Amino acid sequence: MASNGYRNGTGTNKGAIKPPASSNIRSSSFKSRLPPSSNHSPGSALRRTSSASFTTAAGGDGVPGRVRVAVRLRPRNAEESTADADFADCVELQPELKRLKLRKNNWESETYEFDEVLTEFASQKRVYEVVAKPVVESVLDGYNGTVMAYGQTGTGKTFTLGRLGEEDTSARGIMVRSMEEILVNVSRETDSISVSYLQLYMETIQDLLDPANDNISIVEDPRTGDVSLPGATHVEIKDEQSFLELLRLGEAHRIAANTKLNTESSRSHAILMVHVKRSVLGEEVAIPTESDKSSHFVKPPKPLVRKSKLVLVDLAGSERVQKSGSEGHMLEEAKSINLSLSALGKCINALAENSAHVPIRDSKLTRLLRDSFGGTARTSLIVTIGPSPRHRGETASTILFGQRAMKVENMLRIKEEFDYKSLARRLEIQLDKLIAENERQQKAFDDEVERINLEAQNRVSEVERNFTDALEKERLKCQMEYMESVKKLEEKMIENQQKHQHDGFMKDKCNGEGPGFCEDIAVIKKLLEKETHMRKEAEKEVNKLKSQLGQHMDAGAGGDAEILKLQIALEDEVHQKKKLEEEIIILRSQMLQLTFEADQMRRCLARGGSGNAYPGLDSPMSQVRDSLSGHKTPVSALFDQVGVEKILDLLESEDANVRIHAVKVVANLAAEEANQERIVEAGGLTSLLMLLRSYEDETVRRVAAGAIANLAMNEANQELIMVQGGISLLSTTASDAEDPQTLRMVAGAIANLCGNDKLQATLRSEGGIKALLGMVRCRHPDVLSQVARGIANFAKCESRASTNGIRSGRSLLIDEGALPWIVQNANNDAAPIRRHIELALCHLAQHEANAKDMINGGALWELVRITRDCSREDIRSLARRTLNSSLLFRSEMRRLRIEL
């Protein structure tokens, strides 16, 4: 009876209350309240930036959120009801106070506080609402979330999380109820949901949806620390029924066994990952105008994409071998389970105690859950316990695990990105409208110009015709008057001659006859004076006709001035047409740039945590070729409509923006192999090299280097680049530039040139190799990946030349001092860098002249490591063949007692 009174809360409590880390949080809701990010102090939450840490660095917009822990008591089963009939339960629950008492004996007990205490009578709906629903709501808001069940074998973890409830819907577990709420709150048109279902069995990640995929690797982003499983199966979820079928399929493939503690004991950790992608609009921004500071116009909201992940973890139960009766293979399974749970406990202890080092890499389980504890996810933990006093030790261990987990602080952060595709579609529609409007205006302009030309021609023709008629009439009139005057003068002249003859006769006759002749002479003089006067009048008439002719000529000059005005108007219209053509080219180039950037982000997101935030590091040309396959792209359309000559002319434009857009268009055109020959024939390669030589603008240099890198993919273009001094120009740019993206483009161009056997000596003499090695100062993973690719290409060409007997002596890379960097980065965390360096080491080792330097430089140990640990079978085989074929390497391995 005393024990019953104790369970009902009437017994004596002599134990000390152990508060959680958050100063006895007594909120009535299991969901923490998020303070606004603007009031949050950047230093108020735990941050860890070490690569070995169990946390992810949070940005300034993070929100602190402690791990929430609930405890659930399983009711007694039939065996416990019989075996422990005379004993009281080892725990006593006080759900109204959110407390749990763990009984030591009949007199003493220890009290613990949790965020929620669930009795054996708590329904599945109640468990979901207080444990998982706040996490699901956060996932719908854009945060990552984790719900995990921990406890002894047989205490109800799988019942709590994974129960399907096919016969009784009220028995549905957290997995089914979480998906129901997600499907209700997402849009089928704009949002998407995908699911992966995995199990961690014997430290091996297996795909429960594809049993043949039984060894999935974990990939970590070296910059952000995000963990991804690129080999896992992702299934799109459209409705609840398809999700239930996936859960049935996964549960059928999950490994379970019969033990003394549980007839269906899970022998693996089950992990359900739900990826949610939602499209939202950003906030509207009011921008003041320049004329009136009080008036504002609203900037339209930006389209955003929120990507969140819900992780539901059903941990395998911890067990003691002597109680579970495991033996043989089940004993090995129990050891693996206990080791992974122990590693998880160590990580949580380190985070709870603010330790400088968190042993994340001790287990794959801790690596998968690095974002759940101390990271950016909202995490809820439900610990399940049993009432039997026979398992008091396991119950106490589970309770202490939950208490330590409550001390872990996470920094919640929304996973939000700019929706480039939506914006690109909207801009494409606007561009089509502008092009159509421009075509309409152009047609109207052409019609108007044609009408003006026709009208001008008619007016000019009419003026010319009128002027010709008037001039002809005046000419005929003047000619008639002139002929009449000449006729009169001739008549008068004949008359005068006759008079002169008569006067001469009369003078001879009258020399001595008297004064009568003097009167005749006077009459003749008067006639002569009259003739002179008439001649002057005729001259005046001629001058008058000349002046009239001049006036007609002036009228013709006025018609020419009008024609000149029309010609000037036509020239202005042609100039405006040329400006419109330039604007169309700029708009098309902007559209092309947006389309290209969207495709890059899509590939980056699709590749996940590959260690490379910029896709296509192995070849700048491959970045665009992937997006161009299968249909005619805006690049090809621009190329056909405008022509390469006009685009190259814009490279010399005085407008800096036009010049930048033009070089971007040329770079994107050069990414397609079909366009490269036309670009080179039109002088595009020479223009790009001139830009690299002349301009100090970082954007122009970066894009020009990227275009040269694309052209350098073609062997014929590689020799042209060498002939035109491109290697020295790239080397100079590599030494001057500091921008990582510019260095990445330059390194990609030199890496492509390193793959040409004919350019080996030139690359060294013109500083190409030294420039390539000098770019490692940037330390950016994208730049280092291109440097590693160039070294691998160069080493491969040298190996081929040595095999064919073309060259001898040690490698030029070793002469340039590249070996220490190669050895140092042979086991780099970034997969592309590591793969290229491993290939470079194998190629260098194939030439016996390099063996001594490689042994002294520590490369032998890296080659041995490659034969054992490299993820690619072809590289492992190449390294093994290389070591076995070298006398010096075999001798050194025998001395060091190394076996392959």
Side-chain angles (χ1 to χ4, degrees), residues 736-788:
D736 295 341
E738 296 295 335
D739 179 50
Q741 298 308 316
T742 302
L743 292 175
R744 179 172 73 91
M745 296 298 181
V746 174
I750 297 178
N752 291 337
L753 296 175
C754 286
N756 193 322
D757 296 330
K758 302 176 184 178
L759 304 182
Q760 300 283 295
T762 308
L763 280 168
R764 185 188 183 189
S765 62
E766 295 189 7
I769 300 302
K770 187 170 292 184
L772 188 68
L773 295 174
M775 283 185 280
V776 302
R777 70 183 185 277
C778 176
R779 298 183 180 275
H780 195 281
D782 297 346
V783 179
L784 297 182
S785 178
Q786 294 298 325
V787 172

Side-chain angles (χ1 to χ4, degrees), residues 688-708:
L688 291 171
L689 292 174
M690 288 296 296
L691 287 176
L692 205 60
R693 179 185 293 110
S694 305
Y695 287 93
E696 296 182 357
D697 185 87
E698 195 66 36
T699 302
V700 174
R701 294 172 67 190
R702 177 175 67 251
V703 182
I708 294 171

Side-chain angles (χ1 to χ4, degrees), residues 601-653:
M601 183 58 65
R602 175 180 59 77
R603 289 193 302 276
C604 176
L605 297 176
R607 290 166 66 113
S610 61
N612 179 7
Y614 300 91
L617 289 176
D618 290 346
S619 168
M621 180 177 176
S622 65
Q623 299 178 12
V624 182
R625 184 179 296 145
D626 293 340
S627 66
L628 296 177
S629 60
H631 61 281
K632 189 167 184 180
T633 63
V635 181
S636 301
L638 181 65
F639 193 75
D640 295 337
Q641 295 173 10
V642 179
V644 66
E645 291 80 7
K646 289 187 179 180
I647 297 174
L648 294 177
D649 289 341
L650 292 179
L651 294 178
E652 302 176 0
S653 174

